[in-house]
Amino acid sequence: MLQYLNMTLKIKNTLTKKKEIFKPLEKNKIRFYQCGPTLYWNQHIGNLRSVALADFINRSLRYLGYKVTFVRNYTDVGHLSGDNDGDADTGEDRMEKAIKREELSPQEIAEKYKKAYEEDIKKLNTLFPEHTPKATEYIPEQIEMIEALLTKGFAYTTPLAVYFDTSKAKNYHRLSGQDMQNNLCGAGTGEITDKNKKNPSDFVLWFFKAGAHKNASQTWTTTAFASPLVEYGEGLPGWHLECSAMGKALLGDTLDLKMGGIEHIPIHHTNEIAQSENANDAPYVNYWLHNEHLLVDNKKMSKSEGTSYLLSDIEKKGYSPPDLRYFFLQAHYRSKQNFTWESLQASHNALKKLRQKITSLPDGGSISITYKQKFIEKIEDDFSTPEALALVWQLLKDNSISDKDKKATILDFDQVLGLKLNTPEKNDNTNMTNEIKKLLEERQQARQNKDWEKSDQLRQKINNLGYDIIDNNNEQQLIKKEKK
Ligand code: AMP
Ligand code: ZN
């Protein structure tokens, strides 16, 4: 049951480029799908930002009283590097790359990275989706969709692949607003371009075990699925197809919300719309949400520059996953966010202060309806988490609300924020060794005795062990130094 009658959730829809009043397909229910990770490598904090952003939205919808079915898929076959980089169907196969690198089977690779990812997203306190389908578990459904497209004349075969014919799709580029004549995306100029492709933007539905894919590790024989239509033989699905097929199988022909990174707009999601709408004869997605990327030091994250940080890098420096979650809450999902160690430190300080404050307040209060209404207005405005978070601080300063009511209200908001604000702050610097702990205690003592010389000597010893210290009033904050 919806808790508030005058609710007007507004969502910026990439398709119309407008903020629209949200109307679900079915009263009070939401079908929500987020494109998930490829299980070939550890997920960096940019990937994790996209998970946290979807979680803020998922939690907001539930807070507003909707019954949400949330799906996030796992890609474990068929995703080529060109699919994200602007040239669909080209480049290296990500799973194949991992198989070679680690000498494990495709299933072992997928399981390994799925486990690591699920541990990370649990630490970030994200709600686990209702469904987490893997592409390899939905091969028959993908083939069924290819069959429908072939039957209706939207697909054709070459010796290398089955393609979707983008010239047959009505308004193919409507999500990105690109000009069809220029074929700006997916222009097929990469190494495995098929000369029998009819239009540069046509994309693969099924790769045959041939050409660049003749040594593919994961293939299926389509006859195993009793395909009566064409002898299109052994192969593997193209990446875009999996989301269309799994979305249909788990949520139906039309979804309420679909979310993904902005890089998906011109290729992946454009292709999903074309294949789903023409196979199903139904609208595919009513509201498209695209999140902007995380930058590090104002640049694209990069493995070669050592800025593709993992959650474990954050933890090694003594920060907690909730510190990172707090950091993510400070930027709107449609804005870029810049990560620096200083900004993470600021989030850490703010979260610590917030938790100390909340746990010190008395229990037994009731929720302030005025503030709850304000909070709802913020999240109903295209899920504005930075403003929702600012409201928490505003409430703490408001003398007209009693301490116990402040606590009850903020803990109610925490259903959306997911910061576990009722958790007493553990002693900081959790990762340090006993040796450093002892040195810190000695230094604390020296500082209390105003023995600055000794305090400096101890700082030097701690520096030599790879840590900097920030003196914060009476507290010493330990920061692991960057390895040069
Ligand atoms: P991938 O495994 O590369 O397909 O990426 C998995 C998810 O992470 C996708 O939804 C991307 O949109 C998202 N993603 C990748 N890099 C970033 C970034 N720097 N900031 C935010 N999201 C990202
Ligand atoms: Zn997808």
Side-chain angles (χ1 to χ4, degrees):
M1 198 191 74
L2 293 181
Q3 296 159 348
Y4 286 83
L5 292 175
N6 292 327
M7 285 189 10
T8 38
L9 172 59
K10 294 174 283 308
I11 299 181
K12 172 104 187 262
N13 188 349
T14 311
L15 195 59
T16 58
K17 321 258 181 304
K18 289 199 192 94
K19 227 183 241 183
E20 296 174 356
I21 293 182
F22 174 73
K23 289 194 192 70
L25 277 165
E26 208 179 325
K27 200 162 173 258
N28 303 347
K29 287 196 181 155
I30 297 187
R31 300 161 163 90
F32 180 20
Y33 188 114
Q34 182 186 30
C35 289
T38 308
L39 300 174
Y40 77 118
W41 197 249
N42 284 311
Q43 297 287 304
H44 56 55
I45 56 171
N47 305 134
L48 295 179
R49 181 185 183 213
S50 69
V51 179
L53 295 175
D55 188 60
F56 301 148
I57 291 172
N58 188 17
R59 282 173 177 266
S60 298
L61 296 169
R62 286 164 208 256
Y63 183 83
L64 295 172
Y66 289 105
K67 188 175 179 310
V68 184
T69 308
F70 181 43
V71 178
R72 188 192 299 116
N73 65 295
Y74 288 120
T75 296
D76 56 351
V77 66
H79 189 184
L80 311 188
S81 55
D83 292 328
N84 277 2
D85 301 341
D87 197 359
D89 309 331
T90 66
E92 204 170 354
D93 184 304
R94 291 161 184 238
M95 289 303 287
E96 294 292 344
K97 201 167 146 180
I99 294 162
K100 266 189 236 142
R101 183 182 66 224
E102 304 190 25
E103 295 183 358
L104 293 172
S105 70
Q107 293 75 19
E108 285 166 333
I109 296 280
E111 269 314 303
K112 174 179 166 183
Y113 289 109
K114 177 169 174 272
K115 191 161 167 274
Y117 171 81
E118 289 185 353
E119 277 169 15
D120 281 0
I121 63 171
K122 192 166 166 217
K123 284 184 186 171
L124 282 171
N125 196 24
T126 62
L127 301 179
F128 204 72
E130 275 65 33
H131 302 281
T132 52
K134 273 188 190 157
T136 53
E137 295 165 349
Y138 285 81
I139 300 293
E141 287 78 0
Q142 294 180 67
I143 289 178
E144 207 175 294
M145 202 166 255
I146 300 174
E147 301 261 294
L149 293 169
L150 280 165
T151 314
K152 293 178 177 179
F154 287 101
Y156 61 93
T157 56
T158 75
L160 289 179
V162 184
Y163 287 99
F164 183 93
D165 184 344
T166 53
S167 70
K168 301 262 171 71
K170 222 190 285 161
N171 211 352
Y172 170 67
H173 282 298
R174 69 181 176 278
L175 189 63
S176 68
Q178 286 186 0
D179 179 355
M180 184 72 181
Q181 299 307 314
N182 293 332
N183 280 319
L184 297 177
C185 76
T189 51
E191 58 191 287
I192 54 162
T193 300
D194 182 343
K195 64 179 184 329
N196 294 309
K197 221 165 120 165
K198 291 188 189 164
N199 311 288
S201 57
D202 291 355
F203 58 92
V204 170
L205 299 167
W206 189 261
F207 289 107
F208 298 128
K209 200 168 192 256
H213 295 275
K214 66 174 176 301
N215 298 318
S217 309
Q218 301 190 88
T219 55
W220 290 262
T221 43
T222 51
T223 45
F225 309 112
S227 160
L229 211 73
V230 207
E231 259 304 315
Y232 52 94
E234 193 176 344
L236 64 149
W239 175 51
H240 312 293
L241 189 59
E242 67 177 74
C243 288
S244 283
M246 294 189 286
K248 179 182 164 82
L250 295 165
L251 297 172
D253 288 352
T254 308
L255 320 181
D256 290 295
L257 305 178
K258 171 125 197 181
M259 183 161 180
I262 42 151
E263 77 282 9
H264 293 334
I265 299 172
I267 301 181
H268 184 52
H269 289 164
T270 288
N271 292 347
E272 282 186 33
I273 294 174
Q275 67 208 358
S276 283
E277 299 204 341
N278 291 304
N280 302 335
D281 290 319
Y284 178 43
V285 171
N286 285 341
Y287 301 84
W288 283 96
L289 289 81
H290 289 99
N291 63 275
E292 270 283 359
H293 278 186
L294 184 73
L295 306 174
V296 173
D297 298 331
N298 278 314
K299 283 190 286 192
K300 191 173 185 292
M301 298 181 66
S302 137
K303 234 183 241 161
S304 57
E305 288 187 31
T307 56
S308 270
Y309 300 126
L310 306 179
L311 192 62
S312 55
D313 297 319
I314 303 285
E315 291 176 296
K316 272 184 223 148
K317 284 188 185 260
Y319 297 105
S320 69
D323 293 341
L324 186 63
R325 186 174 171 102
Y326 187 98
F327 169 78
F328 289 147
L329 276 165
Q330 293 171 293
H332 188 255
Y333 75 94
R334 284 188 183 269
S335 303
K336 292 189 179 66
Q337 189 177 26
N338 186 36
F339 177 90
T340 61
W341 291 107
E342 290 74 28
S343 53
L344 186 62
Q345 179 66 39
S347 297
H348 167 91
N349 295 345
L351 177 60
K352 186 173 167 183
K353 194 166 155 200
L354 199 53
R355 280 183 171 170
Q356 277 168 346
K357 186 83 193 151
I358 303 294
T359 46
S360 73
L361 297 177
D363 292 323
S366 26
I367 296 170
S368 155
I369 296 302
T370 317
Y371 271 91
K372 181 157 180 140
Q373 201 62 51
K374 284 188 195 173
F375 185 79
I376 288 175
E377 276 166 26
K378 308 292 181 202
I379 61 173
E380 282 189 339
D381 185 11
D382 197 24
F383 312 103
S384 183
T385 56
E387 289 190 26
L389 189 60
L391 190 70
V392 170
W393 292 99
Q394 195 187 321
L395 168 56
L396 280 174
K397 285 194 213 124
D398 187 339
N399 292 330
S400 72
I401 309 282
S402 73
D403 278 352
K404 58 181 192 191
D405 287 358
K406 281 181 183 170
K407 182 169 185 171
T409 309
I410 292 174
L411 291 182
D412 175 64
F413 297 171
D414 202 24
Q415 293 173 65
V416 175
L417 307 174
L419 293 170
K420 299 191 178 167
L421 291 175
N422 212 10
T423 317
E425 262 302 304
K426 275 199 247 89
N427 221 348
D428 233 327
N429 305 330
T430 40
N431 287 329
M432 65 190 159
T433 63
N434 284 338
E435 186 184 5
I436 295 171
K437 245 185 228 159
K438 209 165 135 262
L439 290 171
L440 276 178
E441 278 163 19
E442 276 178 44
R443 187 168 177 275
Q444 186 71 359
Q445 193 60 49
R447 275 158 55 81
Q448 270 166 18
N449 299 340
K450 302 204 182 331
D451 185 349
W452 306 121
E453 201 181 311
K454 187 164 180 199
S455 156
D456 281 349
Q457 283 167 4
L458 287 160
R459 176 197 284 274
Q460 191 54 52
K461 279 193 186 171
I462 293 167
N463 277 174
N464 295 344
L465 292 168
Y467 288 86
D468 285 327
I469 303 171
I470 296 173
D471 289 322
N472 222 338
N473 297 324
N474 284 331
E475 268 182 52
Q476 305 177 85
Q477 178 72 47
L478 200 62
I479 313 268
K480 197 158 200 287
K481 285 200 287 193
E482 290 265 24
K483 279 204 194 92
K484 283 268 173 313

Coordinates of all heavy atoms in Angstrom, one line a residue, residues 63 365-372 375 392 395 401-415:
Y63 N 10.7 2.8 -0.3 CA 10.3 3.7 0.8 C 9.0 4.4 0.4 O 8.2 4.7 1.3 CB 11.5 4.7 0.9 CG 11.3 5.7 2.0 CD1 11.6 5.4 3.3 CD2 10.8 7.0 1.8 CE1 11.5 6.3 4.4 CE2 10.7 8.0 2.8 CZ 11.0 7.6 4.1 OH 10.8 8.5 5.1
G365 N 11.3 8.3 20.2 CA 10.6 9.4 19.5 C 9.7 9.0 18.4 O 9.6 7.8 18.1
S366 N 9.1 10.0 17.8 CA 8.3 9.7 16.6 C 8.8 10.5 15.4 O 9.5 11.5 15.6 CB 6.8 9.9 16.9 OG 6.6 10.9 17.8
I367 N 8.4 10.0 14.3 CA 8.9 10.6 13.0 C 8.2 12.0 12.8 O 7.0 12.2 12.9 CB 8.5 9.7 11.8 CG1 9.3 8.4 12.0 CG2 8.8 10.3 10.5 CD1 8.8 7.3 11.0
S368 N 9.1 13.0 12.5 CA 8.6 14.3 12.2 C 7.9 14.3 10.8 O 8.6 14.0 9.8 CB 9.7 15.3 12.2 OG 9.4 16.4 11.4
I369 N 6.6 14.5 10.8 CA 5.9 14.4 9.5 C 6.4 15.6 8.5 O 6.6 15.4 7.3 CB 4.4 14.5 9.7 CG1 3.9 13.3 10.5 CG2 3.6 14.6 8.4 CD1 4.2 12.0 9.8
T370 N 6.7 16.7 9.1 CA 7.2 17.9 8.3 C 8.5 17.5 7.5 O 8.6 17.7 6.3 CB 7.5 19.1 9.2 OG1 6.4 19.2 10.1 CG2 7.7 20.3 8.3
Y371 N 9.4 16.9 8.3 CA 10.7 16.5 7.7 C 10.5 15.3 6.7 O 11.1 15.2 5.7 CB 11.7 16.2 8.7 CG 12.5 17.5 9.1 CD1 12.0 18.3 10.1 CD2 13.6 17.9 8.3 CE1 12.7 19.5 10.4 CE2 14.2 19.1 8.6 CZ 13.8 19.9 9.6 OH 14.4 21.1 9.9
K372 N 9.6 14.4 7.1 CA 9.4 13.3 6.2 C 8.8 13.7 4.9 O 9.3 13.3 3.8 CB 8.5 12.2 6.9 CG 8.2 11.0 6.0 CD 7.8 9.8 6.7 CE 7.6 8.6 5.7 NZ 8.1 7.4 6.2
F375 N 11.7 15.2 3.0 CA 12.5 14.1 2.5 C 11.9 13.4 1.2 O 12.6 13.2 0.2 CB 12.7 13.1 3.6 CG 13.7 12.0 3.3 CD1 15.1 12.2 3.4 CD2 13.3 10.7 2.9 CE1 16.0 11.2 3.1 CE2 14.2 9.7 2.7 CZ 15.6 9.9 2.8
V392 N 19.2 15.8 6.3 CA 19.6 15.1 7.5 C 20.3 16.1 8.5 O 20.0 16.2 9.6 CB 20.4 13.8 7.3 CG1 21.0 13.3 8.6 CG2 19.6 12.8 6.5
L395 N 18.1 18.9 9.7 CA 17.2 18.4 10.8 C 18.0 18.3 12.1 O 17.5 18.7 13.2 CB 16.6 17.0 10.4 CG 15.9 16.2 11.5 CD1 14.8 17.0 12.2 CD2 15.4 14.9 10.9
I401 N 12.7 20.6 16.8 CA 12.4 19.2 16.9 C 13.2 18.6 18.1 O 14.4 18.8 18.3 CB 12.9 18.5 15.6 CG1 12.4 19.2 14.3 CG2 12.5 17.0 15.6 CD1 10.9 19.0 14.0
S402 N 12.5 17.7 18.8 CA 13.1 17.1 20.0 C 14.2 16.1 19.6 O 14.1 15.5 18.5 CB 12.1 16.4 20.9 OG 11.7 15.2 20.2
D403 N 15.2 15.8 20.5 CA 16.2 14.9 20.1 C 15.7 13.5 19.8 O 16.2 12.9 18.8 CB 17.2 14.8 21.3 CG 18.2 16.0 21.3 OD1 18.2 16.8 20.3 OD2 19.0 16.1 22.3
K404 N 14.8 13.1 20.5 CA 14.3 11.7 20.2 C 13.5 11.6 18.9 O 13.6 10.7 18.2 CB 13.5 11.1 21.4 CG 12.3 11.9 21.8 CD 11.6 11.2 23.0 CE 10.3 11.9 23.2 NZ 9.5 11.6 24.3
D405 N 12.8 12.7 18.6 CA 12.1 12.7 17.3 C 13.1 12.8 16.1 O 12.9 12.3 15.0 CB 11.1 13.9 17.2 CG 9.9 13.6 18.0 OD1 9.8 12.5 18.6 OD2 9.0 14.5 18.1
K406 N 14.2 13.6 16.4 CA 15.3 13.6 15.3 C 15.8 12.3 15.0 O 16.0 11.9 13.9 CB 16.5 14.5 15.8 CG 16.2 16.0 15.8 CD 17.5 16.7 16.3 CE 17.2 18.2 16.3 NZ 18.2 19.0 16.9
K407 N 16.1 11.5 16.1 CA 16.6 10.2 15.9 C 15.6 9.3 15.1 O 16.0 8.6 14.2 CB 17.0 9.6 17.3 CG 17.6 8.2 17.1 CD 18.1 7.7 18.5 CE 18.9 6.4 18.3 NZ 19.6 6.0 19.5
A408 N 14.4 9.3 15.6 CA 13.4 8.4 14.9 C 13.3 8.8 13.5 O 13.2 7.9 12.6 CB 12.1 8.6 15.6
T409 N 13.3 10.1 13.2 CA 13.1 10.5 11.8 C 14.3 10.2 10.9 O 14.1 9.7 9.8 CB 12.9 12.1 11.8 OG1 11.9 12.4 12.7 CG2 12.5 12.6 10.4
I410 N 15.5 10.4 11.4 CA 16.7 10.1 10.6 C 16.8 8.6 10.4 O 17.2 8.2 9.3 CB 17.9 10.8 11.3 CG1 17.8 12.3 11.2 CG2 19.2 10.3 10.6 CD1 18.9 13.1 11.9
L411 N 16.5 7.8 11.4 CA 16.6 6.4 11.2 C 15.5 5.9 10.2 O 15.8 4.9 9.4 CB 16.4 5.6 12.5 CG 17.6 5.8 13.5 CD1 17.4 5.0 14.8 CD2 18.9 5.4 12.8
D412 N 14.4 6.6 10.1 CA 13.5 6.3 9.1 C 14.1 6.6 7.7 O 14.0 5.8 6.7 CB 12.2 7.1 9.3 CG 11.2 7.0 8.2 OD1 10.7 5.8 8.0 OD2 10.9 7.9 7.5
F413 N 14.7 7.8 7.6 CA 15.4 8.1 6.3 C 16.5 7.1 5.9 O 16.8 6.9 4.7 CB 16.0 9.5 6.4 CG 15.1 10.7 6.6 CD1 15.6 11.9 6.9 CD2 13.7 10.5 6.6 CE1 14.8 13.0 7.1 CE2 12.9 11.6 6.8 CZ 13.4 12.8 7.1
D414 N 17.1 6.5 6.9 CA 18.2 5.6 6.7 C 17.7 4.4 5.9 O 18.6 3.7 5.3 CB 18.8 5.2 8.0 CG 20.3 4.7 7.8 OD1 20.9 5.1 6.8 OD2 20.7 4.0 8.7
Q415 N 16.4 4.1 5.8 CA 16.0 3.0 4.9 C 16.4 3.3 3.5 O 16.6 2.4 2.7 CB 14.4 2.9 5.0 CG 13.9 2.5 6.3 CD 12.4 2.6 6.3 OE1 11.7 1.9 5.5 NE2 11.8 3.5 7.1

